[in-house]
Amino acid sequence: MIPVRLPAASATLLAILLAAAPASAVELESCTLSGSTGVAAIEARCGWLSRPEDPAEPNGAAINLRLAVIPALSPTARPDALTVINGGPGGSSVDMYADMVATFAAIRRERDILILDQRGTGASNPLDCERLEQADLDESEASIRAATEACLAELPGDPRFYTTSIAVQDLEAARQALGYEALNVYGVSYGTRVAQHYARRYPALVRTLIIDGVAPPEIPLGPNAALNAERTLSRLFERCRNDPACSDRFPDLTMQVENLDQRLGNEPVQVSVAHPVSGVLTELEVTRNHLLITLRMLSYAPETARLIPLIIDEAASNKNYVPLASNALRVEKELTGAIRFGMHNSVICTEDVPFFGELDIAALEATYIGPQQAQSLVTICETWPAGPMDDDLRQPLTVAVPTLILSGEEDPITPPEYGDMAHAALPNSQHLVGGGQGHGVIGRGCFPRLAAEFIDAGSLEGLASDCVDRLAHPSFFLNLMGPVAIADDAEEAP
């Protein structure tokens, strides 16, 4: 499938014309942002930005995009707002901000926070694919293809027009509508692709750029996911081997995972477990896919990665599948609805899968995830229509915008090497790596303060980043009570 590609010169001209065109005003009303869990209560001003679904047909069908403004605490706010862009592809930026509000608190003192749910995500004409999500546990090609066709038939919009190249036009329209002179742009994961492309299209309108867990434009999302995840898990096992307490408690994690993978692949296990979110007693047939998704998603953050050896050992040695089942249920709950898979497919099938080349099946089969994930994307995109893509979208970003690049040392999806690639191409950038950290580090340690100082100064000069060196791996859980220090205390208590 070949996406519709817009030549760089034409795309740049289109961006200039769009920047010069007046944007329709947006009426904002008081609202409360509740985040992905519904627990947060962030007071904001919300509204709807009307945009043509197909930018080439301005008088055609329109879609409404949700935006929110969290006003600066200062009565004299700076003219440049911060905008926050979620990843996925398919995640809601509004929900992400509400979930991470404390991270951006210092920035909000002087600046408004402008958040736009990217088209197809959140409440911005969301493109859901519930049937395709259900097919995630069925690896058959026929099932995936049937679910893809069913999803396409039920979408509320034309999936061709939900790509990155169009999304950056929406963000610029939001900036114009609200009258900000410029934006400070933060993007995480796939959101770094959007952030980078916005800076490519509108460099004069980007005051500062922060990209966290970098997705380099030149590397397609998908074929390296299993390889990167395998590397992170192998490094975790290596750290356990080098930790006397962990190596003594879990002497052969690699063999245990292999045996557990084979055991669950041959015969799923029925488990009764209190749901970790609702507390309701839940029956779950634990399958190999539950093992894979749990290992992968727990490795995204150091607090959950430290549980992996114990979860493996409990299931493999003691046939106690409750920790595995409980974490699988929690992960599934967090993922359900968090990603709009229709929008996800529109991006991946236009900007990534056509550039996979021939998959290295042998290398993928050597990973614990295997080749199925990448092969499923190829199957989906055989049916999913490709949309517009700027000709230079996949080129390295080289603008002179001050750019802070953040990576986690143990990121299982966008490793620090990806940040190095961005740093090599960006002439005015600095790359900071959080030791022992996973995917998306801006909320860790001193990173919130560094981000606020960087944005306040509008420059990397004098940014004191030595504090990043103090980040480290947390201790492994050695039993169900916790890490060794907590376990020892528990044993000594009367």
Side-chain angles (χ1 to χ4, degrees), residues 27-85:
E27 294 184 5
L28 300 179
E29 298 180 347
S30 296
C31 63
T32 301
L33 309 181
S34 58
S36 61
T37 63
V39 173
I42 312 302
E43 296 306 312
R45 303 280 293 171
C46 297
W48 299 95
L49 179 70
S50 179
R51 296 285 293 159
E53 185 173 46
D54 178 0
E57 297 290 341
N59 296 320
I63 56 175
N64 289 320
L65 309 184
R66 178 175 68 165
L67 57 79
V69 174
I70 298 85
L73 297 177
S74 170
T76 56
R78 301 294 177 88
D80 46 279
L82 169 72
T83 192
V84 175
I85 306 172

Side-chain angles (χ1 to χ4, degrees), residues 91-108:
S92 163
S93 297
V94 172
D95 286 350
M96 181 183 75
Y97 172 79
D99 293 339
M100 300 177 60
V101 62
T103 298
F104 305 102
I107 299 171
R108 189 196 165 196

Side-chain angles (χ1 to χ4, degrees), residues 164-178:
T164 303
S165 298
I166 297 176
V168 298
Q169 298 174 25
D170 294 335
L171 180 57
E172 173 54 15
R175 183 201 65 82
Q176 291 181 49
L178 295 169

Side-chain angles (χ1 to χ4, degrees), residues 283-316:
E283 297 292 327
L284 180 68
E285 186 178 68
V286 180
T287 67
R288 175 178 181 269
N289 282 333
H290 287 109
L291 172 66
L292 302 188
I293 194 172
T294 300
L295 293 179
R296 182 183 179 193
M297 299 312 297
L298 262 58
S299 68
Y300 269 57
E303 294 84 0
T304 51
R306 69 201 298 208
L307 298 169
I308 289 176
L310 178 62
I311 290 172
I312 292 171
D313 184 70
E314 283 294 315

Side-chain angles (χ1 to χ4, degrees), residues 393-461:
L393 177 89
R394 295 181 42 77
Q395 295 179 11
L397 182 67
T398 59
V399 299
V401 172
T403 304
L404 184 60
I405 304 167
L406 308 179
S407 296
E409 179 188 17
E410 305 299 343
D411 191 328
I413 187 68
T414 55
E417 290 79 5
Y418 287 5
D420 289 339
M421 294 173 64
H423 179 49
L426 287 161
N428 188 11
S429 65
Q430 183 175 350
H431 184 200
L432 303 179
V433 180
Q437 304 306 301
H439 188 56
V441 300
I442 196 169
R444 305 285 177 167
C446 62
F447 280 120
R449 174 176 62 79
L450 293 176
E453 291 176 356
F454 168 57
I455 290 175
D456 186 59
S459 169
L460 293 163
E461 186 175 353

